[in-house]
Amino acid sequence: MKKEYIFLQFALVFLFFVLPPLLISGTQVQTPVGTLTWMIAVEALLALVLEIQQRKLFTKKTDSPVTQRFIYSLSFGTITLGLLMLSFAALQAISIVFPSLFRQNTVVARPETVPELLCVLLTFAVSAFYEEVLYRQYVPFVALYAAGNVKPLRLISEIVCVLVFAFSHRYLGWSAVINAFICGIILRWCYVKTQSVIPGSIAHFVYNVTVYAFLMHSLQNT
C-alpha cells in the first residue's frame, strides 16, 4: 500500500472519528438508554474495514497452532481484564479522598426493559471493538509508521496515542481521562502482546459492562 494512501486515509479517519470526541464538552453529552444511533453502525463498519485491512495487508502470518494462539490470547485477555478492574478499584478508592477531582459529568441511566438492556450491551460491544481497532491498532500503527525506526519518536508516538484516547473521554470529567489513560496503556500492552484486537475487545467489553453495573448499583443505593 502506498504511503500517500495510508496518510490520506488517516487524515480522513482523524478528521471524522478521532478529532470530534476531543472537541465535545460535558454539556453536549446525552446518553439515552435503549437507543441505537446511526453512528453506532458507522463505527462498526469503520472498525471492520480497518481490521480487515490490517489483517490482509500488514499482519504477519504465523505458523503457531490455533489452540496455542487461543490459549495465549485468552491468558493475556484475562490478565488485561484483571488489570483494568484493578485500575478501576484503585481510582474508586482515590475518589473517596479527592471527591471533587473524580466527579464524573455523566448520567448513568438504567435500562427498564429487555430490549433496552440488549441495546446497551450491543452499544458496549460495538464501542469496545471500535475503540480497540481505532486507538490500539490503527492510530498507533500509522503513528509508528510515520516515526520509522527512530526509537525516541516511536516512544513519543505511543504516548501521544494513549493521550489522544484519554482526552477523548474529557467530556466525562478528569476521572474518566485518568482512567482512560491507564486503561489505554493496559489495552495497548494487550494488543502488542497478542497482535490481535479480539482479546482486548472482549476485556474492554466485560470491563465496561461491569463498571456500568457497578455505577447503576451505587446510584440506586444513594
Side-chain angles (χ1 to χ4, degrees):
M1 181 179 289
K2 292 184 178 181
K3 181 185 298 185
E4 292 80 3
Y5 174 80
I6 293 176
F7 289 128
L8 175 60
Q9 183 191 62
F10 176 76
L12 294 173
V13 171
F14 181 86
L15 181 62
F16 291 104
F17 294 94
V18 178
L19 185 59
L22 296 172
L23 302 178
I24 296 176
S25 65
T27 56
Q28 294 175 292
V29 178
Q30 295 181 349
T31 54
V33 174
T35 302
L36 294 178
T37 65
W38 63 270
M39 194 60 189
I40 295 296
V42 172
E43 289 179 353
L45 180 60
L46 176 68
L48 283 173
V49 170
L50 294 179
E51 166 65 1
I52 293 172
Q53 173 182 281
Q54 189 73 22
R55 283 179 178 270
K56 294 294 185 181
L57 301 178
F58 302 111
T59 301
K60 296 180 180 179
K61 294 184 179 181
T62 176
D63 296 329
S64 302
V66 175
T67 304
Q68 181 179 341
R69 295 201 304 270
F70 173 77
I71 294 175
Y72 187 80
S73 297
L74 180 63
S75 300
F76 277 100
T78 303
I79 294 172
T80 298
L81 178 59
L83 291 174
L84 292 175
M85 297 310 303
L86 183 62
S87 170
F88 177 73
L91 289 177
Q92 287 297 306
I94 296 174
S95 68
I96 298 175
V97 182
F98 303 102
S100 59
L101 177 62
F102 285 83
R103 182 176 63 251
Q104 290 203 18
N105 301 329
T106 186
V107 176
V108 181
R110 183 185 185 90
E112 300 294 339
T113 64
V114 173
E116 287 184 351
L117 177 60
L118 293 177
C119 286
V120 170
L121 294 177
L122 178 60
T123 300
F124 279 152
V126 171
S127 176
F129 179 65
Y130 166 77
E131 290 186 351
E132 291 309 301
V133 171
L134 188 65
Y135 294 105
R136 250 64 69 185
Q137 177 176 269
Y138 180 72
V139 174
F141 168 78
V142 177
L144 293 174
Y145 182 82
N149 294 322
V150 183
K151 289 186 178 180
L153 287 181
R154 294 179 70 86
L155 177 60
I156 292 172
S157 297
E158 291 281 9
I159 295 173
V160 169
C161 290
V162 176
L163 286 173
V164 168
F165 174 69
F167 279 93
S168 69
H169 294 75
R170 181 178 59 87
Y171 64 88
L172 296 174
W174 283 107
S175 62
V177 173
I178 296 171
N179 184 60
F181 180 77
I182 298 172
C183 292
I185 294 174
I186 296 170
L187 289 164
R188 174 59 181 166
W189 170 80
C190 180
Y191 176 79
V192 170
K193 288 295 185 181
T194 62
Q195 290 299 301
S196 171
V197 296
I198 302 303
S201 297
I202 295 174
H204 195 157
F205 169 75
V206 175
Y207 170 78
N208 282 348
V209 171
T210 304
V211 171
Y212 179 71
F214 172 82
L215 294 176
M216 281 197 305
H217 179 73
S218 298
L219 292 175
Q220 186 177 7
N221 292 336
T222 56

